Amino acid sequence: MSDQTKHEGSLLSNFIHRHAWGLTFAFVFMVSAVTGYCAHFKLVRPLINDEALELIQGVGMPLDKFYFFTPDSVYPMGTADIIETFCPYIVRFAVDAGGEFGPQTSSVFLLRGFYAACYLMGCVAFAWAAGKLWGAGWAAGAGLALASSPFVLVINNILTRNGISILWVCLIVAALVWWTRRDAKQSVVSTYTPALVVAGLLILGCWTYTAFRLVAIAVYAALVVDWWYFEKTKARAIKVMVSGILFGAVLLVLMAWNSDSLLIILRRGGYAVGDSSGYLARLALTLATPFNHPGNRVTPFIIEDVHALVGGAVLSKWLAVFFVVGWLAAWVGSCRVAFMAAVIWTTGMLLCAVAGPNFKYLLPFMPFALLLAISGLRMCVQYLASRFECGRVLMACVVLIFSGVAWSGLNDFFGRFPADPQNEGNRVSNVMADVAVEMVKGGAPRVYVQPGRGVDIVFWRIKPLIDSGRVAVYSTLPRLLDGFGETAPVPPGSVLLIDYPIQQFRNSILNWDTFPAIKIINTRELKDERAGEAGL
């Protein structure tokens, strides 16, 4: 090798060393930005009913006063379960700014930009936390692993409250790292700032998604255990107490702000709680989620669209084995953040098992599992490096592992997720909305729509036509029959859209001879001829 080549290599090495942090965050930012853009603005998939429901609630969000939970008035078709209002407020502001309601509008463009930004900031915050623990190189790997996680990407891509959970939980991880990195010369204000930040982030999380109540329990349990195990001092105890009391007091005040019964609010999400006799079975499935997705088969917990669409384990197969190493080592090691991550993840799984391993509720605990997996990988590398002189080979293996994580994760998200069979029912509902629009444009005086499922998808897609009276949507057959009675006589040339066999519909009508003379279309038969992808 010539002297010039050596000199150039030395200059490059020195440049990378001097700008390691800047290059790391530029890399994580670039990967997250490109992936987030492609996920939100290039990926084509049908709208799902969960996000349609929450978008409808957001559009109807009143601004007359502050609401911590949505009032019944936000759902125009009866009563929907109350939800936390952080994201509904964002939807309302986006619609007000965009000036439009419905799919493929500027308001939805603003929403997708917001969700992509939350994903990006979460990835950067997680990379910062890993970097403070282990250095810039591991920060790059941690940011790449989180940014390419199909679990994170699927839920962030679906415009529900849980879509921005990744931001709050990654900021909590960063705040816990900050909490443990104290300086003896800190002032009182700077000493208590991390405690206040943790409380504030948990409040924002609880204002966003119900599962953060479980996160809060797990985080404060970890802080108490960390105090007992690492730093059993009066000052540290006061710090934990101040944070916990502030969190609990502010959250209760915000919850009580609503006119709803506080007891009803505290029971929010109780529908998912399973039978106590099946707890151990649910716990086994929940503890196995870093390695295994329990699937869509009949299991002792509620299966929902989002859970099924995730389709894979919490962690990549490239990292799952290292999670076990990291989790076991955290209990006896000296890294306080890894120890707290182990306590938080374990406590969280014990709590989540009350309802079961539904991946909607597991997302806020995912970064803690990923942190433990990366910690385990790093420990394996350090051990092998101490036994064998193969540092460069080991670093090459680490790069290969993180590359495998990214390749397999992004391939799963952009390949499997849009084509997942779970999307079929949602695709049919989107086709039903398309057909309703065509029938109105074709001159049908009135279009009746009775989806077997996906009623909120149809409502979101064609709300202007519903408001005009040209289309009527009914969530059940009895409501449809009541609707025929209310609009009798049914205008000649009207159309009824259903998404199940017409003969099955006829068999459900007791007095078919008196049923209105109306054209009936089973839109499920049209799903293969139409894309049904224009949900958002």
Side-chain angles (χ1 to χ4, degrees):
M1 182 181 295
S2 66
D3 292 340
Q4 182 179 354
T5 303
K6 290 181 180 180
H7 179 66
E8 291 175 351
S10 177
L11 288 176
L12 179 61
S13 177
N14 290 335
F15 176 82
I16 293 174
H17 180 74
R18 288 197 309 270
H19 302 282
W21 276 103
L23 292 172
T24 294
F25 285 114
F27 170 74
V28 174
F29 184 92
M30 180 186 68
V31 170
S32 304
V34 172
T35 305
Y37 172 77
C38 293
H40 281 281
F41 298 104
K42 295 298 181 180
L43 184 80
V44 178
R45 65 165 177 85
L47 178 71
I48 74 167
N49 202 68
D50 274 5
E51 63 186 330
L53 171 60
E54 294 195 16
L55 289 168
I56 292 168
Q57 290 175 296
V59 170
M61 194 67 210
L63 301 177
D64 57 325
K65 65 175 185 178
F66 172 78
Y67 293 88
F68 193 82
F69 288 97
T70 52
D72 289 339
S73 61
V74 301
Y75 188 66
M77 292 182 292
T79 302
D81 200 5
I82 60 173
I83 62 173
E84 295 82 359
T85 58
F86 185 92
C87 284
Y89 274 126
I90 297 296
V91 172
R92 174 61 191 271
F93 295 149
V95 171
D96 288 348
E100 299 173 272
F101 175 98
Q104 299 179 328
T105 60
S106 56
S107 58
V108 171
F109 179 87
L110 291 173
L111 275 177
R112 288 222 165 273
F114 174 75
Y115 274 68
C118 289
Y119 155 81
L120 186 154
M121 290 186 290
C123 292
V124 171
F126 187 75
W128 178 90
K132 286 297 181 182
L133 291 174
W134 305 308
W138 292 100
L144 178 64
L146 185 70
S148 59
S149 166
F151 182 22
V152 173
L153 286 166
V154 167
I155 294 186
N156 175 256
N157 186 259
I158 297 171
L159 301 184
T160 62
R161 297 161 293 148
N162 203 16
I164 68 168
S165 293
I166 194 62
L167 172 61
W168 303 137
V169 70
C170 287
L171 288 175
I172 289 170
V173 172
L176 292 175
V177 172
W178 183 24
W179 182 301
T180 61
R181 294 174 63 84
R182 66 180 181 83
D183 184 347
K185 296 181 179 180
Q186 284 182 325
S187 65
V188 173
V189 173
S190 58
T191 297
Y192 284 93
T193 300
L196 301 180
V197 170
V198 169
L201 290 171
L202 287 170
I203 290 167
L204 286 171
C206 290
W207 185 22
T208 301
Y209 191 61
T210 310
F212 273 92
R213 299 187 199 179
L214 306 183
V215 175
I217 294 172
V219 166
Y220 283 113
L223 289 173
V224 170
V225 175
D226 173 72
W227 165 77
W228 183 271
Y229 191 74
F230 283 102
E231 192 181 356
K232 196 175 180 181
T233 64
K234 182 178 179 181
R236 179 65 187 278
I238 293 174
K239 188 176 176 180
V240 176
M241 289 176 61
V242 166
S243 182
I245 291 172
L246 178 67
F247 164 75
V250 173
L251 187 63
L252 285 175
V253 168
L254 291 175
M255 286 183 173
W257 202 300
N258 283 72
S259 58
D260 302 284
S261 165
L262 185 59
L263 184 60
I264 293 176
I265 291 173
L266 290 174
R267 289 176 177 172
R268 169 76 182 93
Y271 72 93
V273 174
D275 186 356
S276 59
S277 62
Y279 176 78
L280 292 179
R282 294 193 300 273
L283 178 60
L285 290 171
T286 306
L287 291 173
T289 51
F291 327 100
N292 174 64
H293 187 284
N296 306 337
R297 61 185 183 277
V298 178
T299 48
F301 69 99
I302 294 177
I303 301 292
E304 297 174 288
D305 267 355
V306 175
H307 166 84
L309 287 169
V310 170
V314 167
L315 296 177
S316 168
K317 293 179 180 178
W318 291 80
L319 288 174
V321 66
F322 299 110
F323 166 79
V324 177
V325 176
W327 184 84
L328 291 173
W331 298 102
V332 296
S334 60
C335 179
R336 291 173 58 184
V337 175
F339 177 78
M340 284 194 284
V343 175
I344 291 169
W345 183 83
T346 305
T347 305
M349 297 307 98
L350 291 170
L351 294 170
C352 287
V354 173
N358 190 312
F359 274 51
K360 283 175 60 176
Y361 317 134
L362 297 181
L363 178 67
F365 295 98
M366 182 272 184
F368 297 103
L370 181 57
L371 194 74
L372 290 170
I374 295 172
S375 175
L377 173 60
R378 180 175 176 272
M379 293 185 68
C380 290
V381 169
Q382 287 183 323
Y383 173 77
L384 292 174
S386 67
R387 297 294 300 272
F388 310 100
E389 294 183 2
C390 54
R392 291 186 178 181
V393 174
L394 289 173
M395 286 300 101
C397 290
V398 170
V399 171
L400 177 63
I401 288 171
F402 281 119
S403 299
V405 170
W407 174 260
S408 61
L410 294 176
N411 185 60
D412 179 84
F413 174 71
F414 288 104
R416 179 203 56 81
F417 171 53
D420 194 294
Q422 188 69 22
N423 278 318
E424 180 178 343
N426 299 315
R427 188 172 286 110
V428 170
S429 298
N430 281 274
V431 169
M432 180 175 280
D434 293 338
V435 174
V437 173
E438 291 177 10
M439 292 297 106
V440 170
K441 289 181 177 180
R446 190 170 177 84
V447 178
Y448 298 87
V449 182
Q450 198 264 298
R453 55 174 287 176
V455 62
D456 297 308
I457 294 174
V458 177
F459 189 90
W460 165 258
R461 292 285 312 278
I462 58 174
K463 183 177 183 297
L465 292 178
I466 296 172
D467 293 341
S468 71
R470 297 289 301 278
V471 178
V473 179
Y474 302 96
S475 57
T476 63
L477 180 59
R479 289 185 178 181
L480 170 67
L481 298 179
D482 291 341
F484 280 138
E486 293 169 1
T487 58
V490 174
S494 295
V495 178
L496 168 63
L497 305 181
I498 58 177
D499 64 358
Y500 50 94
I502 295 175
Q503 188 58 47
Q504 178 183 335
F505 176 81
R506 291 174 63 107
N507 294 340
S508 302
I509 307 301
L510 296 179
N511 299 310
W512 180 255
D513 293 338
T514 62
F515 193 78
I518 189 171
K519 181 180 180 180
I520 304 175
I521 299 175
N522 174 13
T523 55
R524 184 171 291 274
E525 296 177 349
L526 305 176
K527 71 177 178 64
D528 294 330
E529 304 171 13
R530 300 164 180 264
E533 304 283 13
L536 282 177

